[in-house]
Every structure is written in C-alpha cells, then in structure tokens.
C-alpha cells in the first residue's frame, strides 16, 4: 500500500465501487489505512487523474481525499478539514443515489469519523494561532453529519437488510461526541428521539450500543435524571468488552457519581481496579457525613473532576452528606424531637463555620421537601420533629 | 477524554516501514494505459464540487491577500453615513434625537450630522450592505457607542427612558451589524461589547415591569445573550490582557443563574481567573441556587454591586418563591408559627411586602403576624400576579448616587483606546 502508484490506487477504488465492496472501499478512503502515507498519492491536483478513472461524484470524492492526504502530510489540518468536507459532500451525493442498497455504509463511517477528527485538529491549530471562533469547525462538521443522518433516517423504502437506517447509531454517536465537546447537549435530543422510535434500536452492534448508552446516560445525568442515567450507564459498563479497560474506566467516571447520589458507595476494590482513587475520599466523606472531608476531596482533585465534567454533579453530593450527618445526630440523640442546636454543633464539629441557625433550618427544610427526612421543623420550639417510623428513608427509595 | 489519533502517526511514518497490505481478493486488471482514459466534456464538470476544488486551488495560491480583499473595510468617519442622513432627511425618517434643534416642528426637520446615528436595517436581497462609505471603522464605532451611552442613555431627557432605550438598542444593533460585516474580532470588539452588555443588563432592571409594547424583556434577553456570548468568545480567542474579564464572567454567571452550561464554562477557566473575588462570589451564588439554599443565596447577593444585582435580579422572584415553597414543606404542621419579621429578614424585604408575597403564594399569615406554613397550601402564583418591580429594593438600595454613565462606562474609562 505504501508503494502503489496513483493509477493502481485509482484502479482499486474503481473496482471496489464497481463490485460494491463497502469495507474495502472504506479502507481506501480512511486515514487509518497506510495508503495515506504514500507520497505518490499525495498530489496537489489529482482531479484530472481521478476524472479519467472514476465517474462523478466519486471522482470529486477521491480527488478531495487525495488532496486531503497532501494537506495532512503538510501538517495543515485546516486545509485537511476543508477537503474532508468535500469528501463527505461528494460521498453523500453518491450515497443518496444508491436506491435500496447500503453497501457504502462502511465508507460513510470512515469519512465521517475522519471529518470529526480533522475538525478537532483544525480547531486546535487555529486556537494556537489565536484565530477563528471556538467550536466553529466542529459545528460545521456536525451539520454535515446531520445531513448524513437524515439520509439514513429517511430510508423507508429498502428492506431491513439493505436499509441505510443501520447507519443511524454510528452517526448519532459521532454527533454526541461533538455536542458534548462544544457543550451543546440540547442538540442530542432529536437524535435520541429518532433512535428510540426506530425498530432497529436493539439490533445495532454491541460496540455501538455501548457507546450510545454511554452518551445518553451522560445526557440524563446532565438533566438530573439520575435513575435513567444509572440505567444507561450501568448497561454500558456491563456490556463494555472486558478488554477495553480504558472505556470501562470512562463509563465508571460517570456511573460512580450517579450511584453515589442514589446512595450506593463504590468499594475500595473497584476504585483501585480501575485507577479511580480520586473518588475514594469523596466516597468516605459522603458516607460519614463529613462535609469538611468532602470539600477537601473535591478541591484536591478539582482539575480532574472539572475536565471530566462531573464537578458540578459531585457538588450535589453535599445534600446527601448533610443527610448522612443529620441521620447520625438522630441516631446519637435517640429522640424524635431533635434540637436545632444539635445540628449546628454537628456542623461546627465538621469545621463548617459559615452556616448559622437560619441556614440550618433552610437545609433541613430542603431535606424534608426532597423526602430525605420525614418530619417537620417547629420554629417555636427550635426543634426538628421526625416521624417515629423510618424518618430517614433509604437514599435509593427517594426519587 | 480525547481520541488519540493513530492515523496521524501513520501519516508521518516512514513509508518504507509501512507494511505492504496483502490484497487477497483483487484480481487486478492492468492499470488503464494512457490511451484508455475516457473523454470528458469540460462542461460536464461544472458541478459544485469542481468549483469548490478550484476555489480551494485559488485560495492555496494566494491565501492571505485573497481573504483580505474579500472583507469589507469601512471608511465612514461619521456616526451616520452621509447618504443615509440625506435619505432619511428627505423621507422624514429622522428620530427626534437626531434632529437639528429648532427644526423639530418643521414639515421636514433637518438632520444634525453631529447627532445622527446609523440605524439598523434588515439585510435584504439586492441591498449592498458592504459599501465602504456606509461602514464605520472600529474607532468610529467605539466613538458611536460612547456617544449613545454618554449623550443619550445617560443624559437627562424630556422623553421617557423606554424611548431612550429603544433608540439606543436599535443604534447599537447597527453597530453590531457593521462589526459583523467587517469581520471585526478580538480587541476591537471587546470595548464595544462590554459597554453594550452593561447597558442591556442595566436596562433589564430599569425597565422591568414596563408594558410589553414599550419594552419586551425577552427581546432584550435574546440580544443580551448574543452579545455576552460573543464577548466571552473574544476573551477566549484573543490572548489578553482583558482587564474587565473578571467582571463579565461574573455577570454572565449571575444573569444565567443555575445554568449548568455557564457554570461548566466557568469551571474550565484558568484557576487564577476563577479565583478572583467577583467570579468566586458568582460561583457561590450559583452553588447556593443548585443546592436549593435560598437563605444563603439571598445573603450572598447582598455582597454584589449594583450592576451585578441588576444581572441577578430577574431570578430573585424565583428564589424567594422557592424559599416559601421549601419552608411550606419543612415547617408544615398545624401548630406552625413562624414570625413574619424573621421571614422578612430572610427574604430581605420589609414586612408588608413579605406578607404580600405570602398571600400571592397561598401562604397564610395570621393576625398576629405569624406565618402558618402548610405544604398543602402553597400554590404557584398565577401569571402576572407578582410584580417584580415592587420587590426591587435589593437593587435600588445599591444604586444610591450612581449615574447611568457610571454604571455603563464603569472602570472602562481608564482603559479607553
């Protein structure tokens, strides 16, 4: 592959298309394949050659692909991105003309993946030079991906075997990656709706399903729908291949906070196995009701948590921590009429200095409102009066 | 969480070391000989793709120069292009702020070139908005914005401030249009955008409660978000110094209270910036909101300055209602007696306004001025029953003798270009 001539390459492409060999054709257009390192293919103006061998729009597509290899060889990702855009555009023209057949799906996967990757790299290059609006290229890439998605989603004629709908989940996953990167999660919704209402949703490949559930789970987290988030992320974790340690770890990073919010603390063993010891102090602090330790743990690993986008969710654990602390107070005093002072003392012992009796009442009122405490506050008696039965319901039962 | 791109390594690998891929299935035909190429009619190639590739060619040959030629550059040195002033004068479409004093009552008032400002006009087919003589270069745009703030928004006027606002809003929109057409970016924009954002935030407070036909808070919000978003992008792409960045990051957090997106954006700012007092305070306020601790939130809000309070103010009604909701549940019992005065202190309102707010939410206040919380009783106040303007004391107290000019020009005075 590294030594073939341009003519040989074009001939191979021609044959792949002619014989409808989707996977092989995809390789010839993918940057994962060694042909892109072949200097004989890195031409500045391959259009004429391509026109000689290939029909439109394949000639434009391949010409743009070759110009892309040239750009990448020159380390110019902005140019590469521009050409990859042309590749995808031309591909889509061809794809749309394939009536009731989907052999080109692997090609679509390859060229759209490269588009997203180049958009990422191009943005980074521009950022370094201080040019360009942030997210501009990724947004444009997303628009193109959406066009592909629409072509797939609207394929109602073909039978299941030949349907373009099989491309929907892959594209959704690519789009999710972009939307999460540019922080525009609300754009995920129409994709989720489309997949949900499709009859193929359970039949996509395991790898695609795991990726899909991972992102949908993260979106549910963002929407504070923790029960749903737990369901999706657990699926992703359980079905992720044993050998993909890195991916399993990534899923856990999001699954752990969700489980903790629902009252399930991870074991030390689990954290060590997946190299996630950043969570160990957080876990300890929450179970003990130790606000001081929680704040310390959050600030110690702030950078990590922020980069993963879970810092804000972990802050929600504060409410669970208060609940655990106050439950301890209840268990210690062994009465159903708890003086508010006691909670204040407990907080002071945890070195929480900036909370006064008014705020304690507010925190308690909120815990009651959320269902974490069954009871009421009596202002006149300055007491929290809790129910004689199950005043601190288990966390998993509180929605 | 970034994908490592293995193909990049592949691209730069020594071709000699790249493995020759076995082609198990291809019975390769001979490569087409030179004589075998198919004849192509050049006309057939006028497809879009071809033209784009050609354009890419041209751009490759003379990239910089080509781009610079394409971007319009304004040459108009006055706040209003001469042609537009003549046209509007002839069509009797001058605003009274733009008329030559003494001619206002004439059948066709004359325009004052020192006070006329280019108005916003919707882009339309056939209309060329890129004529250099109609576009104002960056220094003129900044001068225009300063004029609008100092001489119109901040000046005493015979006209109601809703009218002042409408005029300034429109003319600022035209400034923005000129900026976009000329592809202005970075430091040139920052001064203009900062003043615009301050003006719109102030307006959102001052005109709160005005009838919809005179002031629409939603439209103000849409434009404010756009300007703010652009401003924050400028901070990100152009390396500083940006002396006012702390102020505007915190204004963004306060205006967008509770927005996970804004908070995530802020958390990703460099630590030194994030630890500045104004941003820290705005973050604490957001955290109090997310933790549903309105007591803490309202207390922290006391530390904000006037403009920051303006940014936050539209959320305060929700926060106060939330307090009543949470307390309705937390204190819900038949014998509940919560002193109204105590509640008033927590809400930072006087007793009578507190009682009014309680009434609007179905919360009972008995004749001894004790609040009887009950979770069954709390109801969301109906649309239009709560008038935010009545509850503005938290902001108005801070205004004292601040003038509009102080508020909008703020400490930027010392950084004038």
């Amino acid at each position: 592959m590294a030594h073939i001539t341009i003519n040989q390459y074009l001939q191979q492409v021609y044959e792949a298309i002619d014989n409808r060999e989707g996977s092989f054709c995809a390789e010839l257009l993918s940057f994962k394949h060694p042909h892109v390192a072949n200097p004989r293919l890195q031409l500045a103006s391959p259009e004429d050659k391509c026109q000689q061998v290939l029909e439109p729009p394949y000639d434009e597509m391949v010409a743009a692909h070759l110009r892309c290899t040239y750009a990448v060889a020159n380390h110019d990702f902005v140019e590469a991105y521009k050409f990859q855009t042309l590749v995808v555009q031309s591909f889509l023209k061809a794809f749309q003309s394939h009536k009731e057949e989907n052999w080109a799906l692997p090609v679509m996967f390859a060229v759209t993946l490269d588009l997203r990757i180049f958009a990422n790299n191009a943005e980074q290059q521009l950022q370094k030079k201080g040019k360009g609006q942030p997210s501009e290229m990724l947004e444009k890439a997303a628009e193109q991906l959406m066009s592909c998605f629409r072509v797939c989603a609207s394929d109602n004629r073909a039978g299941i075997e030949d349907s373009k709908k099989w491309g929907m989940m892959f594209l959704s996953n690519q789009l999710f990656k972009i939307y999460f990167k540019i922080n525009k999660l609300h754009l995920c919704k129409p994709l989720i709706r489309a997949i949900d209402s499709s009859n193929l949703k359970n039949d996509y490949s395991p790898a695609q399903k795991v990726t899909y559930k991972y992102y949908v789970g993260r979106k549910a987290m963002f929407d504070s729908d923790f029960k749903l988030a737990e369901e999706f992320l657990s699926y992703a974790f359980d079905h992720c291949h044993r050998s993909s340690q890195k991916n399993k770890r990534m899923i856990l990073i999001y699954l752990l906070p969700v489980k903790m919010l629902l009252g399930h603390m991870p074991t030390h063993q689990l954290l060590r196995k997946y190299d996630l010891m950043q969570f160990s102090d957080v876990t300890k602090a929450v179970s003990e009701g130790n606000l001081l330790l929680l704040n310390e743990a959050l600030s110690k690993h702030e950078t990590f948590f922020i980069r993963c986008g879970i810092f804000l969710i972990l802050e929600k654990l504060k409410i669970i921590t208060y609940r655990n602390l106050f439950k301890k107070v209840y268990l210690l005093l062994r009465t159903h009429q708890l003086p508010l002072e006691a909670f204040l003392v407990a907080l002071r012992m945890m070195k929480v200095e900036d909370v006064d009796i008014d705020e304690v009442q507010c925190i308690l009122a909120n815990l009651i409102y959320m269902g974490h405490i069954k009871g009421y506050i009596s202002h006149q008696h300055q007491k929290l009066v809790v129910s004689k039965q199950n005043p601190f319901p288990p966390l998993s039962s509180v929605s | 969480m970034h994908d490592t791109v293995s193909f990049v390594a592949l691209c730069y690998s020594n071709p000699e070391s790249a493995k020759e891929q076995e082609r198990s299935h291809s019975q390769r035909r001979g490569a087409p000989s030179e004589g075998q190429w198919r004849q192509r009619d050049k006309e057939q190639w006028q497809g879009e793709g071809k033209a784009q590739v050609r354009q890419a060619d041209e751009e490759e040959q003379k990239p910089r120069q080509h781009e610079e030629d394409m971007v319009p550059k304004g040459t108009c040195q006055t706040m209003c292009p001469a042609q537009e002033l003549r046209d509007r004068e002839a069509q009797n479409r001058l605003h009274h702020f733009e008329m030559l004093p003494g001619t206002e009552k004439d059948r066709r008032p004359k325009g004052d070139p020192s006070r006329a400002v280019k108005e916003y006009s919707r882009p339309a087919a056939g209309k060329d908005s890129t004529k250099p003589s109609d576009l104002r270069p960056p220094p003129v745009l900044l001068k225009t914005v300063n004029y609008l703030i100092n001489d119109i928004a901040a000046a005493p006027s015979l006209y109601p401030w809703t009218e002042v606002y409408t005029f300034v809003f429109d003319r600022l929109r035209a400034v923005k249009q000129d900026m976009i057409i000329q592809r202005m970016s970075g430091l040139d924009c920052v001064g203009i955008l900062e003043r615009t954002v301050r003006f719109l935030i102030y307006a959102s407070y001052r005109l709160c409660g005005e009838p919809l036909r005179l002031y629409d808070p939603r439209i103000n919000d849409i434009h404010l978000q756009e300007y703010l978003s652009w401003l924050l992008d400028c901070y990100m792409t152009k390396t500083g110094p940006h002396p006012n960045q702390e102020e505007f990051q915190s204004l963004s957090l306060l205006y967008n209270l509770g927005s996970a997106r804004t908070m995530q954006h802020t958390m990703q700012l460099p630590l030194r910036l994030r630890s500045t007092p104004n941003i820290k305070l705005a973050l604490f306020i957001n955290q109090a909101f997310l933790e549903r601790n309105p007591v803490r939130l309202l207390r922290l809000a006391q530390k904000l300055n006037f403009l920051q309070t303006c940014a936050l103010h539209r959320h305060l009604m929700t926060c106060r209602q939330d307090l009543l909701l949470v307390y309705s549940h937390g204190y819900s019992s038949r014998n509940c007696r919560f002193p109204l005065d105590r509640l008033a202190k927590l809400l930072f309102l006087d007793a009578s306004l507190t009682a009014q707010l309680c009434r609007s939410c179905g919360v009972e206040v008995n004749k001894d001025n004790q609040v009887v919380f009950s979770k069954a009783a709390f109801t969301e106040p109906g649309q239009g029953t709560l008038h935010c303007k009545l509850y503005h004391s938290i902001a108005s107290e801070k205004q004292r003798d601040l003038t509009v000019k102080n508020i909008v020009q703020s400490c930027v005075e010392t950084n004038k270009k």
Side-chain angles (χ1 to χ4, degrees):
Chain A
M1 253 308 134
H3 299 297
I4 63 169
T5 67
I6 175 76
N7 289 332
Q8 289 167 336
Y9 169 78
L10 288 173
Q11 186 57 26
Q12 290 192 5
V13 174
Y14 171 80
E15 282 176 24
I17 294 172
D18 208 39
N19 296 332
R20 291 179 163 77
E21 287 168 350
S23 304
F24 181 42
C25 191
E27 285 182 351
L28 292 172
L29 290 166
S30 164
F31 274 79
K32 285 195 187 151
H33 190 262
H35 76 273
V36 300
N38 182 348
R40 285 161 152 177
L41 302 179
Q42 291 161 5
L43 300 173
S45 312
E47 289 75 23
D48 289 335
K49 285 251 170 229
C50 294
Q51 284 166 30
Q52 286 168 23
V53 181
L54 301 164
E55 296 276 355
Y58 300 106
D59 58 344
E60 293 165 12
M61 179 175 78
V62 178
H65 172 67
L66 293 176
R67 296 197 72 169
C68 197
T69 63
Y70 180 67
V72 172
N74 289 335
H75 205 60
D76 187 343
F77 288 105
V78 180
E79 283 291 288
Y81 168 76
K82 264 195 243 165
F83 288 121
Q84 192 65 16
T85 307
L86 288 177
V87 172
V88 175
Q89 273 174 9
S90 317
F91 167 78
L92 202 56
K93 265 190 240 165
F95 197 45
Q96 275 175 302
S97 71
H98 297 175
K99 297 301 182 199
E100 300 190 25
E101 49 186 352
N102 63 4
W103 64 267
L105 275 176
V107 183
M108 185 180 80
F109 296 161
V111 300
T112 52
L113 175 64
D114 285 339
L115 180 70
R116 181 177 65 81
I117 291 175
F118 288 144
N120 260 329
N121 295 334
E123 274 201 20
Q124 278 176 27
Q125 268 192 339
L126 285 179
Q127 288 262 353
K128 285 209 191 102
K129 296 188 195 157
K131 284 205 220 132
Q133 294 286 83
S135 307
E136 194 185 340
M137 308 201 107
L138 281 169
E139 288 195 33
K140 290 217 175 90
E143 276 165 44
Q144 281 217 287
L145 287 162
M146 268 311 277
S147 307
C148 297
F149 184 85
R150 273 183 221 115
V151 168
C152 291
S154 56
D155 183 12
N156 292 314
R157 285 206 315 210
I160 274 203
E161 292 287 301
D162 302 308
S163 175
K164 297 190 176 67
K165 287 191 168 163
W166 288 107
M168 280 166 70
M169 193 170 266
F170 179 89
L171 287 172
S172 297
N173 291 342
Q174 293 299 311
L175 282 161
F176 287 155
K177 291 186 186 188
I178 295 182
Y179 294 150
F180 271 79
K181 186 114 195 267
I182 63 177
N183 210 3
K184 285 202 173 158
L185 270 65
H186 60 281
L187 294 172
C188 298
K189 211 155 115 191
L191 295 167
I192 298 174
R193 239 185 292 133
I195 300 269
D196 230 23
S197 57
S198 132
N199 52 351
L200 295 176
K201 68 177 165 196
N202 294 317
D203 301 322
Y204 289 96
S205 77
Q208 284 183 22
K209 281 200 285 190
V210 164
T211 308
Y212 179 78
K213 298 255 175 170
Y214 166 74
Y215 282 107
V216 178
R218 281 184 63 185
K219 168 103 191 353
M221 257 178 103
F222 192 80
D223 295 334
S224 300
D225 195 342
F226 298 117
K227 282 255 163 75
L228 210 59
E230 191 201 10
E231 187 192 315
F232 287 129
L233 292 168
S234 296
Y235 178 97
F237 185 71
D238 292 336
H239 290 84
C240 181
H241 199 274
R242 224 178 317 123
S243 59
S244 314
Q245 282 288 86
K246 183 169 163 243
N247 286 343
K248 282 192 101 106
R249 180 173 184 267
M250 262 169 70
I251 299 169
L252 261 189
I253 288 174
Y254 299 96
L255 184 54
L256 285 176
V258 171
K259 286 215 159 214
M260 287 201 275
L261 278 169
L262 294 169
H264 306 300
M265 301 297 146
T267 61
H268 219 63
Q269 205 186 3
L270 182 72
L271 295 178
R272 226 179 302 125
K273 179 174 178 190
Y274 288 98
D275 186 22
L276 286 172
M277 293 308 283
Q278 296 93 331
F279 287 95
S280 84
D281 276 346
V282 174
T283 307
K284 182 158 184 270
V286 174
S287 342
E288 290 176 3
N290 189 342
L291 282 146
L292 179 64
L293 184 60
L294 179 64
N295 286 330
E296 278 175 7
L298 287 179
S299 95
K300 186 162 156 208
H301 301 289
E302 196 181 70
T303 318
F304 172 75
F305 292 143
I306 291 173
R307 221 184 337 118
C308 298
I310 53 173
F311 186 81
L312 297 172
I313 303 232
L314 290 173
E315 290 249 305
K316 289 195 195 230
L317 289 170
K318 247 189 233 172
I319 298 183
I320 309 289
T321 314
Y322 280 125
R323 177 260 185 205
N324 288 341
L325 178 64
F326 292 166
K327 181 174 180 182
K328 282 194 166 165
V329 173
Y330 160 72
L331 291 170
L332 262 167
L333 296 182
R334 289 203 259 179
T335 163
H336 295 279
Q337 297 187 358
L338 301 153
L340 296 178
E341 265 301 309
F343 297 109
L344 200 55
V345 167
L347 287 169
R348 294 273 182 275
M349 282 179 66
M350 291 293 166
K351 302 281 196 297
V352 179
E353 306 287 331
D354 58 345
V355 173
D356 69 357
I357 202 78
D358 286 324
E359 274 198 57
V360 166
Q361 293 187 37
C362 189
I363 294 168
L364 284 168
N366 193 23
L367 286 170
I368 295 170
Y369 173 67
M370 289 179 74
H372 287 303
I373 300 180
K374 298 229 285 260
Y376 66 91
I377 307 170
S378 165
H379 189 264
Q380 305 98 290
H381 302 287
Q382 290 286 293
K383 284 202 161 88
L384 170 71
V385 180
V386 296
S387 158
K388 294 214 172 74
Q389 277 203 348
N390 203 15
F392 288 82
L395 286 165
S396 47
S397 65
V398 178
S399 57
Chain B
M1 306 295 127
H2 299 291
D3 305 321
T4 42
V5 184
S6 53
F7 76 82
V8 177
L10 204 57
C11 294
Y12 299 109
S13 66
N14 192 341
E16 270 83 83
S17 63
K19 277 192 269 201
E20 196 70 63
Q21 294 268 330
E22 289 297 329
R23 233 17 69 236
S24 56
H25 53 77
S26 74
Q27 297 295 310
R28 286 161 61 199
R29 291 190 222 149
S33 61
E34 294 308 328
Q36 217 181 328
W37 40 268
R38 298 164 220 184
Q39 303 249 267
R40 293 278 176 209
D41 187 345
K42 282 291 176 198
E43 304 307 310
Q44 266 185 301
W45 296 105
Q46 295 316 315
E48 201 184 290
K50 179 77 177 170
Q52 279 180 320
V53 174
R54 186 166 286 147
Q55 189 183 30
D57 267 336
E58 290 167 17
E59 282 175 10
E60 211 178 345
Q61 280 155 34
K62 27 176 186 160
R64 283 279 157 70
Q65 204 182 345
H66 200 56
E67 261 191 35
E68 276 177 14
D69 285 344
M70 289 198 312
V71 177
K73 267 198 154 60
T75 57
C76 173
Q77 295 299 317
T78 51
M79 296 194 294
C80 184
Q83 183 64 50
E84 179 184 314
L85 181 55
R86 281 196 294 271
D87 290 345
R88 286 205 279 131
E89 206 178 57
Q91 296 160 13
N92 204 2
R93 285 194 305 112
L94 292 169
H95 195 281
H96 39 73
F97 292 158
E98 299 172 309
M99 293 173 187
L100 206 56
T103 65
E104 296 95 336
K105 300 263 179 29
D106 297 357
R107 198 165 36 92
R108 203 167 284 159
K110 290 194 73 65
D112 182 347
S114 70
R115 290 163 69 234
V117 184
K118 181 175 179 183
E119 67 174 3
Y120 172 75
S121 67
R122 217 167 277 281
K127 203 199 306 180
D128 180 18
S129 49
T130 60
K131 253 193 338 196
S133 55
D134 283 345
L135 291 170
R136 299 160 288 177
V140 180
L141 288 174
L142 186 58
K143 194 183 97 175
T144 306
V145 173
N146 281 328
Y147 167 78
L148 288 169
I149 303 300
N150 301 341
D151 292 75
I152 304 289
S157 170
L158 298 167
Y159 298 94
W161 211 74
T162 44
E163 244 193 88
V164 170
Y165 164 85
T166 307
F167 178 76
V168 173
F169 178 93
D170 178 85
R171 299 308 193 257
L172 285 173
R173 208 175 167 193
V175 165
K176 178 183 171 201
Q177 213 173 17
D178 277 11
M179 292 202 309
I180 292 176
I181 293 173
Q182 294 176 87
R183 314 257 181 100
M184 269 171 70
S185 65
L187 292 173
D188 285 334
C189 293
V190 168
I192 293 170
L193 291 172
E194 287 180 347
R195 286 162 174 84
T196 307
V197 168
R198 284 204 198 97
F199 170 73
L200 292 176
I201 288 180
Y202 170 65
S204 78
Y205 162 74
R206 177 162 177 177
L207 296 176
C208 171
E210 292 284 340
L212 214 58
R213 61 190 163 82
L214 296 177
Y215 166 73
D216 189 339
R218 257 171 328 149
I219 293 183
N220 191 65
D221 174 54
I222 291 172
H223 287 256
L224 175 49
Q225 295 283 22
E226 267 181 44
Y227 287 116
L228 194 48
S229 187
W230 189 356
L231 177 60
L232 296 183
D233 277 350
C234 287
Y235 289 145
M236 261 214 291
T237 49
K238 289 299 180 206
T239 45
H242 298 292
N244 300 320
Q245 195 184 167
E246 179 193 341
E247 179 193 349
F248 285 92
Q249 295 286 358
S250 84
L251 284 173
S252 171
L253 276 167
L254 295 165
Y255 188 73
N256 289 308
L257 184 71
S259 155
R261 187 158 172 238
T262 311
M263 282 199 82
Q264 182 66 23
H265 160 88
T266 310
M267 295 314 286
Q268 286 169 315
L269 294 172
L271 185 61
R272 209 177 330 129
L273 181 58
R274 239 193 302 140
S275 318
T276 53
N278 281 308
I279 297 182
K280 261 174 91 163
L281 179 56
L283 278 172
F284 288 151
I285 290 179
N286 268 273
Q287 276 165 17
F289 179 82
L290 291 174
E291 275 172 37
R292 225 194 191 123
N293 191 338
V295 168
R296 189 178 177 83
L297 194 157
L298 291 168
R299 276 194 189 154
L300 288 170
Q302 297 308 306
K303 300 192 187 159
L304 299 170
N305 67 26
F306 174 66
L307 189 63
Q308 287 169 326
T309 313
C310 290
L312 182 65
H313 105 278
R314 64 187 185 143
H315 301 288
L316 292 174
M317 278 326 292
T318 317
C319 293
R320 288 179 170 129
Q321 275 172 239
D322 232 29
L323 200 154
L324 292 181
L325 170 62
V326 169
Y327 274 42
S328 288
H329 278 75
Y331 287 85
S332 185
S333 88
R334 255 175 291 120
N335 303 322
C336 174
R337 297 287 180 272
F338 195 100
L340 184 68
D341 285 336
R342 192 73 185 263
L343 185 60
K345 276 215 171 65
L346 295 175
L347 292 170
F348 289 93
L349 294 172
D350 69 26
S352 72
L353 271 177
T354 308
Q356 195 172 331
L357 182 60
C358 286
R359 269 196 300 274
S360 309
C361 297
V363 175
E364 181 195 333
V365 182
N366 71 12
K367 55 184 169 48
D368 297 321
N369 276 342
Q370 300 287 313
V371 183
V372 184
F373 284 117
S374 148
K375 64 183 169 196
F378 179 91
T379 32
E380 285 269 343
Q383 275 274 38
T385 50
L386 276 178
H387 300 291
C388 178
K389 204 171 176 75
L390 299 172
Y391 302 85
H392 274 190
S393 55
I394 196 171
S396 59
E397 286 163 356
K398 298 183 187 173
Q399 193 170 0
R400 283 187 219 115
D401 29 65
L402 279 175
T403 62
V404 178
K405 186 170 170 182
N406 291 147
I407 295 160
V408 184
Q409 293 287 16
S410 191
C411 52
V412 185
E413 296 267 50
T414 51
N415 296 327
K416 248 196 263 204
K417 296 189 185 67

